[in-house]
Amino acid sequence: MDRVEEMLGEVRTTFKGGRTRGVEWRKAQLQALLKLLAENEDKIFEALRQDLGKHPVEAYRDEVGVVKKSATNAFRSVEKWMAPQKGRIPLVFFPARGAVVSEPLGVVLIFASWNFPISLALDPVIGAISAGNAVVLKPSDVAPKCSSFLANTIPLYLDPEAIKVVEGGKDISEQLLQLKWDKIFFTGSPQVARLIMSAAAKHLTPVTLELGGKCPTILDTLSNSSDLQVAVKRIAGGKWGPCNGQACIGIDYVLVETQFASVLIELLKKFIKKFYGENLKTLENLARIVNKHHFKRVHNLLKDPNVAATVVYGGSVDEENMVIEPTILLNPPLDAEIMTEEIFGPLLPIITLNNIEESIQFINSRPKPLAIYAFTKNDSLKEKILQETSSGSLTFNDAIVQFLADTLPFGGVGQSGFGRYHGKFSFDTFSHEKAVLHRSFLIELEPRYPPWNDFKMDFVRLAYDFDYVGLVLLLLGLRGLFRRNPRQ
């Protein structure tokens, strides 16, 4: 505990010294981070291979490329983000001017997740640095090679007195949570998020929680064969492509009309074989399950006899190498664990409905998801999904890609989390927007009590209701109405 407190004391001293506030420091750190990525790409690929079995293409797409894009965007934009934003002031206060000034929160604690152990660690760090904060990063010990890489490499590139990396397991996390931070950013499960919130509440520390949930996909009946091929291809990529289903925004299950289910299943089989291989022994381009604990958790979902009976493709497992084949299930029991808990693995339930519009009621009967994906050309259905469901994000005719858009906020709602980041939204998440008002000594109204007659009160009401009336009052210098009463 002493070591953790000493580390916090050092970064807090650095922040109080003002070093992190200047634009030069922020841009220097972002540039150094880009250099870190460029000079250590192969090491990152190897760490991701050892922790999760990620292919280099997947590693670059979901990890290195994401961070590089985010850091480059922040480097180019941080001066604009830092600039005070003009605030419109009511004319009744004329002459006056207002602004919103973004200031850093202070020392922030970032908990990273294991499924994307590089991008989900460094992307929030980019936002915290851009906003001028000092940072303590806690990588996930479930991905030990990536955690070690970050701990050993970051101090060689970034300011070691302002940006620290702390490795460890549950005991270190508990020690960190006992201390007072100016912000806590957490990516992980709702179960751990409850502990984070409970600890943060003791110090009234603001938190951002990036969680998960069962993200549904709605597949409407697409009459055009080409559209259908594209839709199912994107569903297959969105389910198994990102870390073999171990992704908070990955597709959890698919809702489709009963008459369309067989077509969907056959197309999914086709693309699974094309993208990943024919069977367990020939699988490629797929990440493995992260460890034995999670392997058993996902495997246990299939051990329920009522669930196993619904498997229509896949289901094979290799416990030694912690690999589970891409698996499709048709109408597993809705009260089974596979349909009540986030799957976070390569199992894809397909739930059939009589009418695709029933999907809205189905989704609304469950906790709010982090993302909803809907494949349809029906504008009426799109509007109903938009207006009648609630989710962290909503994407039509694709999956996952919203995560890569820096101009869109990424975050959850309800049980899928709260707070948002990416691009300018990351900067805002790690900033306090301070209201600043400048007034002049030139004009002063002096109300005199008592009495205020109705005429005077009417003028005051008008001044608040209509800004231009307030300006006229001030420009004419009608102080006399308030300074004296002719009848006195």
Side-chain angles (χ1 to χ4, degrees):
M1 186 67 177
D2 291 341
R3 181 176 67 87
V4 174
E5 289 181 332
E6 182 180 347
M7 173 211 61
L8 175 57
E10 182 177 351
V11 292
R12 194 169 292 284
T13 298
T14 301
F15 176 76
K16 288 181 177 179
R19 183 194 306 174
T20 67
R21 290 177 175 267
V23 67
E24 295 82 6
W25 182 89
R26 304 185 197 196
K27 297 188 76 170
Q29 302 311 303
L30 294 169
Q31 202 164 32
L33 186 53
L34 288 168
K35 185 178 180 182
L36 182 156
L37 295 173
E39 295 181 353
N40 295 276
E41 190 173 280
D42 290 340
K43 292 181 180 179
I44 295 173
F45 289 168
E46 179 59 20
L48 289 166
R49 186 193 68 80
Q50 292 188 45
D51 281 339
L52 289 152
K54 290 191 178 184
H55 188 280
V57 172
E58 179 182 352
Y60 188 88
R61 181 194 66 196
D62 296 346
E63 306 270 9
V64 175
V66 168
V67 178
K68 182 178 179 180
K69 175 180 62 66
S70 180
T72 301
N73 180 47
F75 180 82
R76 293 171 176 170
S77 307
V78 66
E79 290 181 75
K80 179 181 177 181
W81 296 344
M82 292 173 62
Q85 305 298 307
K86 289 184 179 180
R88 182 178 179 274
I89 303 300
L91 293 177
V92 70
F93 299 132
F94 178 87
R97 57 188 171 86
V100 177
V101 176
S102 294
E103 62 179 16
L105 292 172
V107 180
V108 303
L109 173 62
I110 296 174
F111 286 101
S113 183
W114 56 260
N115 52 338
F116 298 92
I118 300 298
S119 60
L120 293 185
L122 296 182
D123 205 5
V125 168
I126 290 168
I129 290 172
S130 300
N133 297 279
V135 182
V136 173
L137 170 65
K138 169 61 178 67
S140 173
D141 60 303
V142 178
K145 298 299 182 182
C146 289
S147 176
S148 177
F149 168 81
L150 292 170
N152 293 325
T153 308
I154 284 180
L156 303 178
Y157 291 84
L158 305 185
D159 184 345
E161 295 181 352
I163 302 166
K164 301 281 189 182
V165 182
V166 181
E167 287 193 280
K170 181 180 178 182
D171 55 335
I172 292 296
S173 296
E174 291 175 348
Q175 291 178 30
L176 290 169
L177 288 173
Q178 291 176 26
L179 304 175
K180 177 172 174 53
W181 305 89
D182 299 302
K183 173 82 174 188
I184 297 177
F185 187 103
F186 170 78
T187 303
S189 68
Q191 293 80 6
V192 179
R194 293 184 178 93
L195 301 177
I196 300 286
M197 283 197 69
S198 177
K202 296 176 183 178
H203 301 290
L204 296 179
T205 300
V207 298
T208 292
L209 303 178
E210 298 295 341
L211 311 179
K214 298 184 71 64
C215 299
T217 290
I218 301 169
L219 180 61
D220 194 7
T221 304
L222 298 170
S223 56
N224 185 297
S225 176
S226 177
D227 292 341
L228 179 58
Q229 293 271 337
V230 171
V232 179
K233 184 188 296 184
R234 291 175 179 176
I235 290 172
K239 174 60 183 179
W240 293 286
C243 204
N244 199 6
Q246 300 170 105
C248 58
I249 56 170
I251 294 171
D252 194 276
Y253 61 93
V254 179
L255 299 169
V256 66
E257 290 185 358
T258 302
Q259 60 185 1
F260 201 46
S262 59
V263 176
L264 169 61
I265 291 170
E266 291 307 311
L267 284 174
L268 282 172
K269 291 179 182 179
K270 170 187 170 182
F271 288 117
I272 289 172
K273 293 173 183 177
K274 180 179 180 180
F275 294 164
Y276 312 115
E278 294 272 350
N279 55 57
L280 188 64
K281 294 182 179 180
T282 62
L283 289 179
E284 57 183 359
N285 306 325
L286 275 175
R288 62 171 171 78
I289 306 301
V290 66
N291 58 23
K292 294 289 186 182
H293 167 74
H294 284 279
F295 178 88
K296 290 180 179 178
R297 178 189 60 79
V298 178
H299 190 200
N300 285 339
L301 297 176
L302 291 175
K303 289 183 177 180
D304 181 337
N306 294 324
V307 172
T310 67
V311 173
V312 294
Y313 180 84
S316 300
V317 301
D318 178 353
E319 185 169 358
E320 181 179 353
N321 295 307
M322 290 184 290
V323 175
I324 297 178
E325 185 180 11
T327 301
I328 304 171
L329 306 95
L330 180 61
N331 287 321
L334 297 182
D335 59 352
E337 190 175 358
I338 196 171
M339 287 306 300
T340 59
E341 300 295 329
E342 185 178 9
I343 295 171
F344 225 68
L347 316 181
L348 179 63
I350 295 173
I351 306 300
T352 59
L353 308 168
N354 293 324
N355 187 297
I356 198 62
E357 292 192 359
E358 295 175 10
S359 59
I360 295 173
Q361 181 180 354
F362 189 96
I363 292 169
N364 288 340
S365 67
R366 287 156 173 75
K368 296 178 180 180
L370 181 58
I372 295 175
Y373 306 111
F375 292 82
T376 180
K377 298 178 76 173
N378 185 329
D379 290 337
S380 175
L381 178 59
K382 285 183 179 181
E383 188 64 21
K384 284 187 176 182
I385 295 170
L386 176 63
Q387 298 296 334
E388 298 178 20
T389 65
S390 178
S391 57
S393 63
L394 171 60
T395 299
F396 290 107
N397 300 327
D398 210 337
I400 307 296
V401 294
Q402 79 279 7
F403 183 84
L404 302 175
D406 287 330
T407 55
L408 297 176
F410 179 82
V413 59
Q415 191 169 306
S416 61
F418 52 79
R420 56 186 187 171
Y421 73 122
H422 285 183
K424 174 64 161 55
F425 302 101
S426 291
F427 178 88
D428 293 340
T429 286
F430 291 102
S431 299
H432 165 59
E433 294 184 329
K434 180 164 60 179
V436 180
L437 177 63
H438 299 269
R439 289 221 52 200
S440 170
F441 293 109
L442 292 179
I443 299 176
E444 177 70 7
L445 296 179
E446 298 178 2
R448 179 166 294 185
Y449 306 94
W452 274 47
N453 59 31
D454 292 340
F455 178 70
K456 298 172 187 176
M457 185 61 72
D458 287 343
F459 265 86
V460 172
R461 288 196 177 106
L462 283 171
Y464 276 98
D465 292 342
F466 301 100
D467 279 353
Y468 67 87
V469 175
L471 178 60
V472 169
L473 285 173
L474 291 166
L475 291 177
L476 293 178
L478 297 178
R479 299 185 186 185
L481 291 175
F482 301 95
R483 286 187 171 177
R484 61 181 180 275
N485 188 325
R487 295 176 179 267
Q488 286 184 333

